[in-house]
Amino acid sequence: MPEMRFTIRWPDGTVEACYSPSLVIKDYFVPGESYKLLEFLAKSREALTIASDRVEARYGFPCSRALGQLARLEAAGRAYSTHPEARVAVEAFEE
């Protein structure tokens, strides 16, 4: 499966490199765009779950790295949950 990395910028300016075992992330995000925090987390949840499911369909087990990445995004997102205008920018894709 083609894996990829995508770079995001959290509302406080912190840059994070993220992982997906599938290119499905490209169906959910556009480099250079920013997303409201809840929208970003919902799209991440859907895309990374699909990516993990694709791994499971092919290899017989879900992708622990994709699920771990999702858990990391959701945990980090909680830090900004009290900021109603918080946005997360998707800066780049790297295949």
Side-chain angles (χ1 to χ4, degrees):
M1 296 192 88
E3 62 182 30
M4 68 174 293
R5 292 189 176 16
F6 56 106
T7 305
I8 63 169
R9 182 175 302 273
W10 289 104
D12 67 357
T14 302
V15 174
E16 183 171 343
C18 302
Y19 171 81
S20 172
S22 166
L23 302 180
V24 70
I25 292 295
K26 290 181 167 187
D27 295 339
Y28 288 83
F29 297 114
V30 176
E33 294 290 322
S34 70
Y35 302 86
K36 289 183 178 181
L37 177 64
L38 293 179
E39 177 188 15
F40 172 78
L41 293 174
K43 286 175 172 267
S44 295
R45 190 174 304 112
E46 188 170 342
L48 290 169
T49 299
I50 289 169
S52 179
D53 290 348
R54 288 179 179 177
V55 169
E56 185 170 19
R58 185 165 184 178
Y59 298 106
F61 51 87
C63 180
S64 61
R65 282 188 70 190
L67 298 176
Q69 180 65 69
L70 176 57
R72 163 73 188 120
L73 293 173
E74 290 180 335
R78 282 193 288 279
Y80 310 105
S81 63
T82 59
H83 303 29
E85 298 304 314
R87 297 183 74 82
V88 179
V90 175
E91 296 198 331
F93 292 148
E94 182 183 327
E95 292 180 48

